[in-house]
Every structure is written in structure tokens, then in C-alpha cells.
Amino acid sequence: MHTLDASERKKLEGRSLVIGMWGNLFMGGAGVMAAILSNSNAILVDGLFSLIGFTAALLGRNVSRNVDAGPDRLRPIGYAADEAIFTTFRALSLLGLLLFAMCSAVMNIYNYATGHPPEPLIFEPLIVYFIVIGLTCFLLWWVHHRSWSKTGRNSDVLRLEAKAAAFDGVITAAAGLGILGILLLQDTALGVITPVGDSIIVLLLCLTAVTQYYKDFMSGLGELAGVTAGPEHIAKVRRAIRKILSKDGGRLVDLSILKLGRSFHVSIYYDPMRALDAQEFDKLTLDLEHELVTVMPLVEVVVLPTQYGRRWPDDVNPRKNPRTHQ
């Protein structure tokens, strides 16, 4: 199997995001138009979801261009944090939309219960909408998922866009089935709820999605806050560096790993047990980075010579034992 290099991965990711950008713009416009023609709040939420997807794909494309750029004068630790910022606020924007839709649905149900029924649904424009938008969502999911897989499954941008496309498709399908159900229930004992049936559908769909996007938001926020990477990443790093450090003859004092999007920052606290000059130390760092890049394509390694770990012991910690000057 042909392995894509960095430029090919970036090109494929960019192409996927461009397709997603225009696909979401088309679905957003179609959703708003169909909502106006049909008086459906469920379809309006679907269209707004797609318009947010258009903005996200536009921003995500810019993020993907710079995410693997190295440190420079403007960004001394590189641009990896941009992907974590993007995924965090992408999830937050989706949460905001879901909460808005839930509040709107609750208000519609309340107004109906107090004697103010909404405009009746017009079903004819919805049939074409559900077919076309459902197929478009599936196509976008397939494009993003395929690109994510071919680029090594490291891009949080593509992962979240694929998930969003899949959920948009689920919303569309569920709204279509729900509105069909409303049509079939009109002449039954449950016909009393059909005037607010699409508001009930919106409420149920949003409740099922809030938990997932809240998890995505908290995950991105944790990366920005500097929370330690997951245990599977720590185990992967330990296995990769064990042979090199054992051969060097020193002692691994501590290890910390931060994840920012698809990038990892690995700090190795190391006691070499002997004197090392700068050239030897650079060679050790590069050997470790060459080993780690085989399991983490985007990784920055910092080796800190120390007999302590990631924090000073209390007896020498300057914050706990400040020196007094005469």
C-alpha cells in the first residue's frame, strides 16, 4: 500500500474540507429554504447545522494548512494548538445550536399548550429535501472518513467533520421519519400532538446529541488546559523510548505527554548518570524523536537533564522555600 507523505496528506485533507465547505453551504441554503416553504422547525435546525458546518470547514482548512508547521518567531512552540482550539470551539458552536434548538422547541410546545398553535406543516417540499440532503450527508461523511483513514487517522479536524456529517444525516433521516409519522398520526388518537410534532422531534434529536458534543468540547478544552494525554499514548511512548534510553545507560526519571489535536509534545525527564556535551545531548534527543515519529507522526520531543521529575521537591521548591536576602 502506498504511504502518503506529508504534502500528500495535507493536499488530501484540504480537498476533503473544500468539498465539505461547499456541501454544507448547499445543504444550509436548502434547509433554510425548505423550512420557509414547509413551516418546519426541524428542517430549520438541520439547515443551521449545515451553515455552521460551512463556516467550520472554511476555518478548518486554514488550520490544516499550518498545523504541522514548526516553531517560529511568532509561535515559539508551533501551531499545533490551533487544531485543539478549532475542535473545542467547533463542538461549542454545535452545543450552542443544540441548546438554541431545544429552547425554541420547548417554547413552541409551551405556546401550543397555552392555546397558540404553530403554523401547520406543508409536506410537499420536504420529500425532495430529505432525499437530496440525506444523500449529500452520506457523501460528505464518506469523503471525510475516507480522507481521515488515508491520512493516518490523526486529524481531529477530519474526524469531527466526519462525525458532524454523520449526525447531520441522522438528523435529516430522523426528521423525515418523524414528520412522516406526524402525517400518519393526524387521524388517530395521537393527532393532538401533530401540530408540535416536529418540535418534539427536534427536542429528542438534540437531547441525544448534547452528550456527544459535550464530550468533544471537554476533550478539546482538556488539551488546551494541558491535561495529560491518555494512558494509551503514554504506553506507546514508553515502549518506543525504552530501547534507546536503556542503550544510553541513563535513568528515566519522569515522562509527560501533552496532546494538541494530532500533535504530541513529549517531555522526557532524564538523568544521564554521566556528563554529556551539547552534541551528545542533541543526538540523544534526535534519536528519540526519530523513534517516536514512527508511532506519532507529529511529535516534538524535549529531553530535560534532571535528577527530579516534573516539579521540584518541597524541600528545594523556591515557591515553598524562598531565599531571604540580607
Side-chain angles (χ1 to χ4, degrees):
M1 180 183 293
H2 172 62
T3 302
L4 300 178
D5 59 28
S7 63
E8 290 174 320
R9 288 196 299 269
K10 183 174 289 189
K11 184 177 180 180
L12 182 59
E13 183 175 9
R15 185 186 304 131
S16 179
L17 291 171
V18 168
I19 294 172
M21 183 173 64
W22 295 115
N24 275 288
L25 183 61
F26 164 72
M27 292 194 300
V32 172
M33 181 63 67
I36 294 171
L37 294 175
S38 65
N39 298 323
S40 172
N41 289 325
I43 302 306
L44 180 60
V45 170
D46 198 24
L48 292 176
F49 193 92
S50 297
L51 289 176
I52 288 181
F54 165 75
T55 305
L58 181 63
L59 296 175
R61 188 182 176 204
N62 292 329
V63 169
S64 69
R65 288 173 178 168
N66 299 322
V67 70
D68 56 352
D72 55 26
R73 289 182 179 273
L74 180 64
R75 303 286 292 273
I77 61 172
Y79 293 79
D82 288 0
E83 187 170 18
I85 293 170
F86 170 82
T87 54
T88 301
F89 285 95
R90 172 75 161 111
L92 183 61
S93 68
L94 294 171
L95 276 175
L97 174 60
L98 292 179
L99 293 175
F100 165 77
M102 290 169 65
C103 291
S104 177
V106 170
M107 286 301 299
N108 286 337
I109 295 170
Y110 173 78
N111 289 336
Y112 175 65
T114 56
H116 299 87
E119 292 288 332
L121 292 178
I122 302 172
F123 293 96
E124 287 77 7
L126 298 179
I127 298 174
V128 175
Y129 174 83
F130 287 131
I131 295 173
V132 173
I133 299 305
L135 291 174
T136 304
C137 288
F138 173 77
L139 176 63
L140 289 180
W141 170 82
W142 180 79
V143 168
H144 291 320
H145 189 271
R146 179 173 175 270
S147 299
W148 179 64
S149 298
K150 292 187 71 173
T151 54
R153 303 194 170 204
N154 294 309
S155 171
D156 280 355
V157 173
L158 287 178
R159 179 186 60 80
L160 193 56
E161 289 307 300
K163 183 186 293 185
F167 179 69
D168 200 359
V170 170
I171 283 183
T172 302
L177 292 174
I179 289 175
L180 176 62
I182 291 170
L183 183 62
L184 297 175
L185 289 173
Q186 283 183 333
D187 298 324
T188 69
L190 295 177
V192 67
I193 68 170
T194 56
V196 289
D198 75 324
S199 293
I200 296 172
I201 294 167
V202 169
L203 193 58
L204 293 176
L205 289 174
C206 291
L207 285 172
T208 61
V210 161
T211 301
Q212 182 58 56
Y213 287 121
Y214 178 75
K215 288 180 180 178
D216 287 335
F217 171 68
M218 293 304 296
S219 175
L221 198 62
E223 291 183 12
L224 294 175
V227 174
T228 298
E232 69 278 9
H233 300 304
I234 296 174
K236 190 182 296 186
V237 170
R238 285 189 177 276
R239 287 194 298 268
I241 67 175
R242 185 180 298 138
K243 182 178 179 180
I244 293 175
L245 294 185
S246 176
K247 182 179 178 180
D248 188 72
R251 179 174 68 95
L252 177 64
V253 178
D254 202 353
L255 176 69
S256 66
I257 305 170
L258 301 179
K259 180 180 180 295
L260 283 172
R262 74 195 74 179
S263 303
F264 293 85
H265 183 90
V266 178
S267 297
I268 299 172
Y269 302 85
Y270 182 63
D271 183 356
M273 313 286 285
R274 68 188 191 284
L276 289 178
D277 61 27
Q279 184 177 3
E280 291 173 312
F281 209 80
D282 284 344
K283 182 179 183 304
L284 174 61
T285 303
L286 286 171
D287 287 345
L288 289 166
E289 190 156 329
H290 278 298
E291 189 67 30
L292 283 173
V293 82
T294 61
V295 295
M296 294 175 168
L298 287 177
V299 62
E300 293 286 341
V301 178
V302 176
V303 182
L304 303 169
T306 179
Q307 61 180 318
Y308 304 116
R310 68 191 70 189
R311 58 177 295 169
W312 299 113
D314 289 346
D315 57 337
V316 297
N317 192 331
R319 290 187 295 275
K320 294 183 178 294
N321 297 289
R323 293 178 181 175
T324 56
H325 297 279
Q326 301 295 330

